[in-house]
Amino acid sequence: MELIKIDYLQIGVAASKLLTVSNLSINSGQKIGLVGNNGAGKTTLMRILAQEKFTDLFTIKGVVANNCNFAYVPQLLDAGDKSGGQREKLALSKAIAQLKNMPNGLLLLDEPTSNLDITQQQWLIKLINKSKIACLIISHDQNFLNKVCDSIWYIQNKEVHNFSGTYEEFRNFSEDQRKRAETIYEQKKKHLEQLTKSYHQHVNKAKTFSHNKKGLSSSDWRSKSLGKQKTANNVIRASKNLANRINKEKAEIKKPQMHHAITLKNGNNAITDLSISPKSKALRLEKQPINAYGQKLFNITQEVNLAYGSKVVLIGQNGSGKTVFLKKIKNKQLTGFYNPKLKIGYFNQNIVASQTDKTLLDSLFATSIFDDSSTMQVLGDLHLRQYGEHKISDISGGQLVCFNLAKILTGQYNLLLLDEPTNFLDIASVNALAEFVTAYPFAMILVSHDQEFIKQLEVPKWQIKNSQLITSTAQKKQSKKGNNNELELLKFKLDQLMLDSRASISEIKQVKARIQELQ
């Protein structure tokens, strides 16, 4: 059953086209993911479906037929006295409960996982998959999309298109499309080069008919050339036709957007000045409790070391103390060793860059440790390149968060502390950030709940669990300790089996094989 039918919806903002939806519908039980770059119009479309009112700045034409009971959970919720994760979970629970006993239910969710930790995300995935309520979900969380959606609406060239399939299948489809577009572009480019070469050959050949041949008088040459005039005219005509074809194909050929993995090149001596000897530690924290707001959050039970150039992801449930931990490192409030050359850059999405009359480019170039090309690519990956000449004081709140992230990423630091850097980024920017982290030459601690992003990074994890900070080193030690205990037990068991006449040879072999494996 159709819950919503959209018939040629046209959305404009400030007299400019924002989005067109030709013909799409949402049916009972469907789970649809809505994806696209920041600023493409995803939230605006969802607000239209939620029947919200708009200012005169927007123009909305077309038909949206509504045959459903819906609940809308927007991205920015009133904080009140609860944490982001708590208020998000509460709003989601209320929305689902509201629709549970209503016919033709539709959930409209805008970035529902942005404030949820991994445990809360798993709760939401289970809840949506179990529910028969239809959903339209805006999200940049690729793992979440892949686990709950059976269709994808994607925005391309200011139009919304439908793809029937999981997000993983959509991603493969998009990659195939990208490769095909690049192949067609290269073929057209090669054909254009061949046409241009042929055109120049015809032009040069036409010129030969206007020159006097060596050793002939002008009258003799003209009389001999009369028979060739027809050929000359044909060559000139062919040249003109080729010129027209070249101009037409030049107008039609369009280079597809090609993303190149970032290569961070040094623009000055800043990287050398910030470098720490590979044998030195960037940071070493002693055993200690981590306290805040008059209570203990967790304990560091073993010495924590962060090597020069290493990156780690810090995970843990909301409220476990991740942000407090980063802030204490930033302010050097934890007991331990901080390398004298350490310069710490801290990104928190709630920290706003100072409002100045400087342009984005002037501000970035003034502090970037990378060359102009690398700095511009960071700006482009965060969809800010077109705003480079804008004043910082004139950009929107979301753009300001992205600019602040760019400022920290390229700044004169050798330890970056990034607290949930992916929350305001779209999927393309999240993937580009993963490339940046991999290429970054210095140390980094990231807090993130984005499982696909964490998977892309392939870096060690630190986890706050059961009121303790568990590092990769601690996990290895714990694993080794467990293996040693198992080894001793197996050796004892082998001795018992050797003395037992009833023991089978296969059982003895199995125990021996496990002992060898552990040794």
Side-chain angles (χ1 to χ4, degrees), residues 45-57:
L45 175 58
M46 184 166 280
R47 287 179 60 207
I48 290 171
L49 301 185
Q51 300 178 358
E52 288 203 345
K53 291 183 178 179
F54 286 82
T55 65
D56 293 338
L57 193 66

Side-chain angles (χ1 to χ4, degrees), residues 410-427:
T410 60
Q412 298 179 23
Y413 310 110
N414 49 25
L415 169 60
L416 296 186
L417 308 174
L418 307 181
D419 193 356
E420 293 287 5
T422 64
N423 270 8
F424 277 81
L425 304 184
D426 54 44
I427 291 171

